[in-house]
Amino acid sequence: MATKIRLQRHGRKSYAFYSIVIADSRAPRDGKFTEKIGTYNPNTNPATVDLNFERALSWVMNGAQPTDTVRTILSREGVYFKKHLLGGVAKGAFGEAEADTKFEAWKNNKQTGLATLKAKQDEAAKADAKARLEAEKKVNEAKAKALAEKKAAELAANAPAEEAPAAEEVPAAEEAAEAPATEAAAE
């Protein structure tokens, strides 16, 4: 029996969600499987992988052949690096404690890189949102200015008919206000 580690598709149309399974190579893609060792969700950014690391390592060590996509997933999760280190331990190149130390250093480095990537994505999203807000403010100001000019033009068009009587009243009011001031200065 040729054992494969492969993806089993779930989810709706255009929104795939996969289970990582151990199956006989002759079984259909979404058919019978031996063991489910994890899930893979490519719809998130970055893709979400939930993997039973020990079982995946066990199957890889026993000769299960992954598909290309699953091989990439297992490499990113460190299964193949751990297999490489365990091969070095078996050959006597270094001890198991040193292999565990190297693996933990690699894992911490990987987590730091992912955190940095996530921080950059969040910062880019905030900058994009800020730029869109500024652009929207400029558009709103331009619309408000155009609306104010339109209202001023309408008032100017309606005002000449109404301002003629008002214009005659204003100088009379100014003359009345100036008359007491000139009389007070003369006294």
Side-chain angles (χ1 to χ4, degrees):
M1 175 171 98
T3 307
K4 287 280 210 178
I5 305 174
R6 64 182 178 199
L7 298 176
Q8 187 176 55
R9 192 182 195 284
H10 300 287
R12 67 176 190 262
K13 183 178 178 180
S14 301
Y15 197 82
F17 182 84
Y18 299 95
S19 293
I20 303 170
V21 297
I22 310 299
D24 182 9
S25 62
R26 297 168 291 182
R29 179 192 71 180
D30 298 337
K32 186 177 178 182
F33 61 91
T34 306
E35 181 180 357
K36 179 180 175 182
I37 61 171
T39 59
Y40 168 62
N41 184 1
N43 301 309
T44 60
N45 188 12
T48 306
V49 176
D50 181 30
L51 183 69
N52 184 340
F53 186 86
E54 295 302 322
R55 291 303 299 156
L57 180 63
S58 170
W59 280 102
V60 169
M61 295 295 284
N62 288 331
Q65 294 297 311
T67 60
D68 293 338
T69 305
V70 174
R71 181 181 304 276
T72 303
I73 292 169
L74 295 177
S75 292
R76 287 182 182 164
E77 293 297 312
V79 172
Y80 277 98
F81 185 63
K82 183 74 170 188
K83 179 185 176 191
H84 172 73
L85 291 175
L86 291 178
V89 170
K91 291 179 181 177
F94 45 83
E96 193 169 331
E98 188 177 345
D100 289 340
T101 304
K102 287 181 180 183
F103 182 72
E104 289 301 320
W106 176 85
K107 193 173 181 180
N108 290 338
N109 187 24
K110 182 86 168 174
Q111 294 298 327
T112 304
L114 289 175
T116 304
L117 179 64
K118 185 69 173 166
K120 285 182 181 180
Q121 288 176 344
D122 290 343
E123 185 177 317
K126 286 181 183 178
D128 183 45
K130 186 175 180 179
R132 286 186 294 158
L133 181 63
E134 292 297 325
E136 186 176 344
K137 283 182 180 179
K138 288 180 181 179
V139 168
N140 287 344
E141 288 174 1
K143 286 181 181 179
K145 186 177 178 182
L147 183 63
E149 289 174 359
K150 184 178 178 181
K151 284 185 179 182
E154 287 177 0
L155 288 176
N158 294 337
E162 296 174 4
E163 285 186 16
E168 295 173 1
E169 295 174 9
V170 172
E174 289 178 4
E175 290 175 6
E178 290 179 7
T182 52
E183 291 175 7
E187 294 176 6

